Amino acid sequence: MTTAIAAEAAPEAGTTDFVVQDVPDAVVRDAREFGAYARTGGWAFALKVARSVRPGGQAADETGDSGAKVSAKAFAELAECSPERVMRYYKAWDMAADDGLVPQFEALVPGEDIELPEADAWLSYYSSRSGATSVRGHAITAAAEAEGIRPTKALEVAENPTALRAAILADPGTAEAARGALLDRMKEDPALQTGMARAIVRTDELKKAVAGEAKAADRIAYVRQIAEKGRIRTPAGQTVEAPPALRAEAERHLSLIDELDDAEGAGEWAGEAYDAVKEMVAEAVEADPELRVQERRTKFYNSLQKATKVFEELTLDEVLEEDVVEDDMLQRLEALQTAIGTCIDTLRRATAAS
């Protein structure tokens, strides 16, 4: 059989101008079913489940409407799908019924059609993945809603990590999104922090990259302290006020670094800024007689402290017990004793002369 479709019955204005004649009934049915699904989405299938299924163990209601209904297992066998899939549609309808969007099951009769909600509302109630009902699924759903995306999208990704890995490996944009997500998660996940740190230190290329970035960060911090706080740290470790010219130079370099895009490495810029500022710090120290004297005094005293600590850490008892003393050790100590004696004499003469 065929059905004649006149111009008046053509699709809505603006969609097409042609007139279809003698369309087969099968095509008409397909078109109408497609249109119904386009308008209602999954509600069309949920209705078939809701009006035909009475889950096992659930007694028929007093009106007898559900007596003709079958279990989810029986319905699934007829539909040649899994009972779990049938129940997901059943639960979606149940939640929508609780919200007053659709009738309760008791009001539905097998084979009877009703007016269905718009298709957009379907995704708010249905999840095609059983994982959505687990604790993990609820967490993913909540995170997806917070990001303003459909939970089904996030659940799909979570249940197919191989696809996620492929996307990260192939697409820089996906890799960047994954990097940002991992960084956000690591702030509140100590176990992930530890695991990521362990992976980095076990990979030479990553370890070198981290060391390079840490060095650049330290140099930028040094320049930033001068620019923002107006203080410099001298080579000997003193902290003093920065001259105006030095602070202005630090601010200039810092502004250039802050304007870099995330994709641009700051290492080279940090090195240039650090070297320029360091040179000006050295010049500032030399230009100030009082600061220069204090700098050299501090430097000498720091070296003396280090040498003293090293000598105090010599474990003579272990050396004597194991009989590991050699002539070369004694010669080095004698040379050290002579150097110390010369240093003391020099300093005494300098003190007496002053």
Side-chain angles (χ1 to χ4, degrees):
M1 293 179 61
T2 60
T3 300
I5 299 181
E8 302 87 68
E12 296 179 1
T15 58
T16 183
D17 293 329
F18 68 86
V19 177
V20 181
Q21 295 288 348
D22 300 328
V23 178
D25 288 345
V27 176
V28 173
R29 286 196 303 271
D30 284 347
R32 288 174 178 170
E33 290 179 5
F34 176 81
Y37 183 78
R39 291 188 299 274
T40 62
W43 295 116
F45 296 112
L47 172 62
K48 298 179 187 300
V49 172
R51 70 191 183 189
S52 302
V53 171
R54 175 171 52 84
Q58 180 179 330
D61 70 328
E62 295 179 358
T63 64
D65 287 342
S66 61
K69 298 182 179 182
V70 299
S71 68
K73 182 179 180 181
F75 190 88
E77 290 177 355
L78 292 171
E80 297 183 354
C81 68
S82 68
E84 291 77 16
R85 183 175 180 82
V86 171
M87 286 305 299
R88 286 199 288 273
Y89 279 84
Y90 188 93
K91 290 175 181 177
W93 188 278
D94 192 25
M95 289 188 290
D98 288 341
D99 290 345
L101 194 64
V102 295
Q104 295 289 341
F105 297 106
E106 293 79 4
L108 302 175
V109 178
E112 184 177 291
D113 288 329
I114 63 169
E115 185 176 350
L116 295 171
E118 293 293 328
D120 291 345
W122 173 245
L123 291 175
S124 299
Y125 296 95
Y126 176 78
S127 173
S128 61
R129 286 160 178 82
S130 58
T133 59
S134 65
V135 174
R136 173 173 174 266
H138 284 306
I140 294 172
T141 297
E145 291 173 346
E147 294 290 336
I149 63 172
R150 295 176 180 175
T152 50
K153 294 284 187 181
L155 289 164
E156 181 179 359
V157 172
E159 292 190 7
N160 197 344
T162 303
L164 176 60
R165 172 183 168 82
I168 292 173
L169 290 174
D171 177 45
T174 304
E176 178 62 22
R179 181 192 68 81
L182 282 173
L183 289 177
D184 289 343
R185 182 177 176 85
M186 279 195 290
K187 295 175 183 177
E188 300 178 358
D189 191 337
L192 182 59
Q193 292 176 14
T194 302
M196 189 65 71
R198 185 179 296 118
I200 290 173
V201 299
R202 290 177 179 177
T203 307
D204 289 341
E205 293 79 4
L206 293 179
K207 186 163 60 175
K208 291 178 181 177
V210 169
E213 288 298 319
K215 183 177 181 180
D218 288 342
R219 290 182 166 185
I220 293 173
Y222 180 82
V223 176
R224 190 178 298 279
Q225 178 176 337
I226 297 174
E228 296 180 352
K229 298 183 179 180
R231 306 282 290 176
I232 61 173
R233 185 175 179 83
T234 67
Q238 299 184 84
T239 302
V240 297
E241 291 292 328
L246 174 55
R247 186 170 186 178
E249 181 68 6
E251 290 174 348
R252 185 181 72 83
H253 282 284
L254 188 62
S255 65
L256 293 174
I257 292 173
D258 288 342
E259 289 177 1
L260 295 175
D261 295 333
D262 291 339
E264 297 182 80
E268 183 178 349
W269 293 84
E272 181 180 335
Y274 180 80
D275 291 342
V277 171
K278 263 291 193 181
E279 184 177 349
M280 292 188 69
V281 169
E283 292 174 355
V285 170
E286 288 299 316
D288 186 334
E290 183 179 347
L291 180 58
R292 182 176 68 248
V293 171
Q294 183 61 33
E295 180 75 358
R296 292 176 179 176
R297 181 183 293 117
T298 302
K299 185 177 180 181
F300 181 83
Y301 190 73
N302 289 344
S303 298
L304 182 60
Q305 281 188 313
K306 291 178 182 178
T308 302
K309 184 177 181 180
V310 171
F311 188 80
E312 289 175 346
E313 290 177 350
L314 291 177
T315 52
L316 296 178
D317 292 341
E318 294 180 1
V319 172
L320 294 175
E321 288 177 3
E322 298 296 334
D323 191 25
V324 296
V325 178
E326 296 181 350
D327 292 341
D328 181 61
M329 295 179 183
L330 293 173
Q331 292 173 5
R332 286 176 178 269
L333 284 172
E334 290 171 351
L336 178 60
Q337 183 181 33
T338 301
I340 292 175
T342 301
C343 180
I344 293 174
D345 291 341
T346 303
L347 292 177
R348 280 176 177 170
R349 286 196 298 271
T351 303
S354 61

